[in-house]
């Protein structure tokens, strides 16, 4: 009886070849959207860089550029890995799959920490506190954005190299059932299991804690600021913060998206590591979904970027009168709003 229950649990969430094929197709569609939004961000940042009197990117744009580049590379590698997972049913090139997995998890680390750093940056710009030791440390971090991003990138690869020793490749299991998996993260000893827990903690949970902490600070000081503005105006008119509100919404949206992804990602990794299922394709698919949604949030959060995207979209539809009903209404910028979206 116990054996049958265990067998049912083992087979209840196994992925068939058809499931992997569907995940592969979805990843390809998500890759197109992710590359589109991130390339749009890169092109706009490059144009602003060339037009500025002092050719340099703002700290926020520099961090977003790093996130966009990492997201594009992640999607490309993810699609290649899933292509191998679908096509290479006899695991002839398992080494290539292992290298791709290490690079994928390294880029995930970089994206998560860079997003947490972006939230940290906006938190420090939007929240004004008395000067003390902690804020001086924060200011030192903000002034050395390039160095911090370099550390994040190096740490991403350094923390994921040991993953090669944890990967378990099954090259002897028959694939006639369609349930075997060429490679997965299945530690065979205590050391490997400890490393997986360390990786999940340092790459998923710690950035999440930073983002949640920053979002709480932003929400608290925003509420306090709005109450002060309302009191100072004697409720004569509602407080207007211009594009600052949009940046706040973008930051909080990034946190919500990350928290949802974190929960799903941890659940799928538990099925791979502890329950020893072949659901790694789902983990990779959810990472693709996260990069797509977060890229959309970054574009929408910068009003000038979003307005230009909508204008370009409507201009494209002008070439096809039959699609005029699909146009999106363009919102004009109010005089008090900053033109750069911050």
């Amino acid at each position: 009886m116990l054996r049958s229950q265990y067998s049912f649990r083992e087979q209840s969430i196994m992925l068939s070849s058809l499931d992997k094929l569907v995940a592969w197709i979805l990843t390809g569609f998500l890759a197109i959207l992710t590359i589109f939004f991130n390339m749009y961000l890169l092109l706009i940042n490059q144009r602003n860089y060339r037009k500025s009197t002092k050719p340099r990117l703002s700290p926020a744009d520099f961090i977003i550029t790093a996130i966009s580049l990492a997201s594009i590379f992640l999607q490309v590698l993810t699609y290649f890995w899933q292509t191998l997972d679908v096509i290479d049913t006899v695991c002839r090139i398992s080494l290539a799959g292992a290298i791709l997995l290490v690079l994928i998890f390294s880029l995930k680390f970089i994206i998560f920490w860079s997003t947490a750093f972006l939230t940290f940056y906006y938190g420090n710009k939007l929240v004004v506190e008395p000067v003390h030791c902690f804020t001086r440390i924060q200011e030192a971090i903000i002034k050395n954005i390039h160095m911090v991003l370099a550390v994040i990138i190096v740490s991403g690869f350094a923390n994921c190299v040991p993953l090669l020793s944890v990967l378990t490749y099954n090259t002897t299991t028959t694939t006639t059932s369609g349930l075997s998996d060429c490679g997965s993260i299945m530690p065979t000893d205590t050391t490997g299991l400890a490393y997986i827990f360390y990786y999940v903690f340092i790459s998923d949970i710690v950035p999440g804690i930073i983002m949640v902490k920053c979002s709480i600070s932003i929400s608290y000081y925003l509420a306090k600021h709005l109450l002060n503005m309302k009191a100072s105006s004697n409720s004569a008119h509602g407080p207007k913060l211009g594009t600052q509100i949009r940046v706040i919404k973008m930051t909080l949206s990034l946190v919500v998206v990350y928290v949802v992804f974190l929960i799903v990602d941890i659940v799928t990794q538990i099925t791979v590591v502890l329950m020893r299922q072949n659901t790694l394709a789902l983990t990779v698919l959810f990472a693709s979904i996260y990069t797509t949604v977060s890229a959309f949030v970054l574009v929408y959060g910068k009003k000038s970027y979003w307005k230009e995207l909508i204008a370009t979209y409507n201009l494209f539809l002008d070439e096809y009168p039959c699609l005029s009903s699909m146009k999106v209404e363009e919102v004009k910028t109010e005089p008090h709003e900053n033109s750069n979206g911050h």
Side-chain angles (χ1 to χ4, degrees):
M1 179 67 179
L2 290 175
R3 184 171 181 177
S4 64
Q5 289 178 350
Y6 178 78
S7 176
F8 173 78
R9 187 191 68 175
E10 287 289 325
Q11 296 180 3
S12 60
I13 54 176
M14 295 288 280
L15 297 181
S16 66
S17 297
L18 179 60
D19 295 329
K20 292 181 180 181
L21 179 62
V22 172
W24 177 61
I25 294 173
L26 289 176
T27 301
F29 174 72
L30 293 169
I32 294 173
L33 292 177
T34 300
I35 292 174
F36 170 78
F37 285 121
N38 284 292
M39 283 299 298
Y40 177 76
L41 286 169
L42 291 175
L43 291 174
I44 295 296
N45 285 341
Q46 183 185 30
R47 187 193 64 185
N48 292 343
Y49 173 82
R50 290 181 176 180
K51 286 186 175 181
S52 61
T53 54
K54 295 181 179 180
R56 65 176 182 179
L57 290 173
S58 67
D61 287 341
F62 189 81
I63 300 173
I64 291 174
T65 298
I67 295 174
S68 298
L69 288 172
S71 297
I72 291 174
F73 283 119
L74 175 65
Q75 282 289 10
V76 172
L77 295 178
T78 294
Y79 190 70
F80 283 160
W81 181 84
Q82 288 202 338
T83 301
L84 288 179
D85 196 40
V86 171
I87 296 176
D88 186 24
T89 57
V90 293
C91 310
R92 293 185 182 276
I93 47 178
S94 57
L95 178 60
I99 294 174
L100 285 175
L101 272 180
V102 171
L103 293 176
I104 288 171
F105 279 85
S106 299
L107 289 171
K108 278 180 60 180
F109 182 102
I110 294 170
I111 292 171
F112 295 164
W113 272 96
S114 298
T115 306
F117 187 34
L118 180 66
T119 307
F120 174 83
Y121 171 80
Y122 281 130
N124 281 271
K125 288 298 180 181
L126 297 172
V127 177
V128 180
E129 297 183 80
V131 176
H132 51 77
C133 180
F134 185 61
T135 54
R136 289 178 181 175
I137 295 175
Q138 290 175 317
E139 290 174 1
I141 294 174
I142 295 301
K143 289 180 180 179
N144 295 277
I145 283 182
H146 299 76
M147 184 179 297
V148 173
L149 284 176
V151 171
I152 290 175
I153 293 173
V154 173
S155 299
F157 290 103
N159 280 282
C160 293
V161 168
L163 186 63
L164 284 171
S165 63
V166 180
L167 291 174
T168 302
Y169 279 82
N170 181 6
T171 58
T172 59
T173 305
T174 55
T175 58
T176 55
S177 65
L179 294 178
S180 62
D181 206 6
C182 290
S184 194
I185 305 175
M186 298 179 182
T188 56
D189 54 17
T190 306
T191 303
L193 187 61
Y195 165 74
I196 294 298
F197 281 121
Y198 163 78
Y199 172 80
V200 172
F201 177 77
I202 196 68
S203 68
D204 292 1
I205 297 177
V206 175
I209 292 174
I210 294 174
M211 295 177 71
V212 171
K213 186 270 177 187
C214 292
S215 66
I216 292 174
S217 298
I218 293 172
S219 300
Y220 171 76
Y221 283 97
L222 171 65
K224 186 177 179 180
H225 181 65
L226 292 176
L227 288 174
N228 291 338
M229 289 184 65
K230 187 175 182 180
S232 62
S233 61
N234 295 321
S235 300
H237 57 79
K240 294 183 178 181
L241 296 180
T243 54
Q244 194 176 31
I245 285 291
R246 199 178 188 92
V247 173
I248 291 172
K249 289 181 179 179
M250 178 189 73
T251 306
L252 297 181
S253 297
L254 285 174
V255 175
V256 172
V257 170
Y258 183 84
V259 170
V260 172
F261 167 79
L262 177 62
I263 295 172
V264 175
D265 188 53
I266 290 178
V267 171
T268 53
Q269 292 200 43
I270 287 175
T271 64
V272 173
V273 176
L274 299 182
M275 300 179 66
R276 308 185 74 80
Q277 304 295 332
N278 71 333
T279 55
L280 192 59
L282 291 181
T283 301
V284 176
L285 175 62
F286 292 138
S288 298
I289 295 174
Y290 170 79
T291 54
T292 303
V293 176
S294 60
F296 174 81
V297 171
L298 287 173
V299 173
Y300 182 78
K302 305 192 76 173
K303 187 162 188 177
S304 59
Y305 289 17
W306 180 252
K307 284 183 59 182
E308 187 168 348
L309 179 63
I310 295 300
T312 305
Y313 170 76
N314 289 336
L315 186 62
F316 171 78
L317 292 182
D318 286 337
E319 300 294 328
Y320 305 93
C322 59
L323 301 177
S324 59
S325 60
M326 297 175 61
K327 282 190 175 183
V328 179
E329 183 180 357
E330 298 181 35
V331 180
K332 295 183 179 180
T333 305
E334 297 180 15
H336 67 274
E337 292 183 342
N338 194 344
S339 62
N340 63 2
H342 289 291

